[in-house]
Amino acid sequence: MKYLRIGRPGFETPVALADGKYYDLSGPIGDIDGEFLQRGGIATTAGFPEIDIAGQRIAPPIAKPSAIVCIGMNYAAHCAESGAEPPAEPVVFYKHPNTIVGPNDDVEIPRASTRTDWEVELGVVFKKRASYLESEEAVLDCIAGFLVANDLSEREFQIERSGGQFSKGKACPTFTPLGPYLVTPDEIADVQGLRMWSKVNGEIRQDSNTKDMIFSVARIIHHMSQFMAFDPGDLLLTGTPEGVALSGRFPYLKAGDTVEVGIDGLGHTSNPTVQA
């Protein structure tokens, strides 16, 4: 099953995509949020009316989560281009949930920014509380689905002006485009074997695979559950591969650019950039 949301901000309609058809889930479903996911989503689209989504805004595929938990430095080549050693344990930081926008919404270049960067990432959404998990095998039972995300970052705010924390450069408005779908685990044969890429103005920037993660999805969630609890609807971003502007190989984003990120089986985002 693929879930998505359509409509203008604040008035989104939850939709299911199955066998090439779209179904309106509004009414008894509410929204694609923690409560819906904790109930297990829907088992069938029977009884839901078909809907034509042509011309509709594609919204973020999940309603605002209570937390966005992010993993940094999770690809060895990205560590190298950032001038850092691969970590012995997952590096963790947070983004504000109000940074989330849809897959085609405008991304704002922050005022005074000269180093706004892109990061394609695999996102994981939870359907049940994950706390003190006993094993990596227990992780899958907690996962509602996967999505593609762009973990946009302002590098000066993140590094030179951070005070030792990443969040200043990660929490700017519009800095977490998601979507277009939340894809349930049964549709993904191997989450550690997905091609992922990013482009700026149609030119490739990142081209990698989730198999290159230092810490796998299961390892991250099991490890982090020993320190914190993930609630239903929460979003985990699992790190980005090499090919970002921080490497010095590419110019940073500016107003008027279009930045795209994609992951096989999860779709892609394409966001025009504007000046805040």
Side-chain angles (χ1 to χ4, degrees), residues 30-55:
D31 209 342
I32 310 299
D33 56 14
E35 182 179 348
F36 168 75
L37 298 172
Q38 190 171 27
R39 295 197 304 265
I42 60 170
T44 176
T45 55
F48 293 100
E50 285 190 45
I51 186 173
D52 182 2
I53 71 166

